[in-house]
Amino acid sequence: MQPSDARILRSAAIPTALAGVLAVVLCGVLSGSKGVIAAIMALAMVSIFFTISVLAVSYAAKISPQAMLPAALGSYIIKLLVLSVALSALQNVTVWDTKAFAWSVLALTLVWVVAEARYFLRTKIAYVDEPADGDVEAPAGRGS
């Protein structure tokens, strides 16, 4: 993992963990122990799923820049399939409050996405490759 990828992960994981603690407390107050379990499961799921995305794209970036988009889309599709199987397998489980779980997942997902977006907006990342010293070309369409 590149240092920049670790910073991306850290910049999103820390606010999500703090929001997760708030979700555990809030769900505990509103739904009791089932709410606490729901919020903990939501925090684990959101953290694991988004971390997998960052790691997959980071690994793909080492291979080539063109591999990053397929890695992101592929990890997304796999996560959706795993989530679908897990939710249908846990459909009748009464160990946690399903509403607390759903709201916690939604809130923690928003926190993660906003934290990542904030990181990218505040970080100056070059998106144009600078030409090497000998690679300077005349702009197209000018004096030939």
Side-chain angles (χ1 to χ4, degrees):
M1 176 184 295
Q2 300 290 331
S4 61
D5 298 327
R7 285 191 297 270
I8 293 167
L9 196 55
R10 195 171 37 252
S11 70
I14 292 171
T16 303
L18 294 173
V21 170
L22 180 64
V24 168
V25 170
L26 188 62
C27 290
V29 169
L30 296 175
S31 300
S33 61
K34 288 185 176 191
V36 170
I37 294 170
I40 290 171
M41 293 297 292
L43 177 60
M45 188 182 80
V46 168
S47 299
I48 289 168
F49 274 36
F50 278 105
T51 299
I52 288 170
S53 294
V54 171
L55 294 175
V57 172
S58 174
Y59 178 75
K62 291 179 185 177
I63 296 170
S64 78
Q66 292 81 12
M68 292 171 66
L69 182 62
L73 293 175
S75 69
Y76 179 73
I77 290 169
I78 290 170
K79 289 185 299 185
L80 280 179
L81 292 173
V82 168
L83 181 62
S84 298
V85 169
L87 289 179
S88 51
L90 299 171
Q91 185 174 4
N92 297 322
V93 173
T94 58
V95 166
W96 69 68
D97 183 357
T98 54
K99 287 184 182 179
F101 178 75
W103 283 108
S104 296
V105 166
L106 179 64
L108 296 174
T109 298
L110 288 173
V111 169
W112 186 289
V113 170
V114 168
E116 266 189 352
R118 183 175 181 264
Y119 171 81
F120 284 113
L121 289 173
R122 301 185 98 185
T123 305
K124 295 180 182 178
I125 300 173
Y127 58 90
V128 177
D129 291 333
E130 295 293 327
D133 290 335
D135 293 343
V136 178
E137 297 179 16
R142 295 210 179 164
S144 297

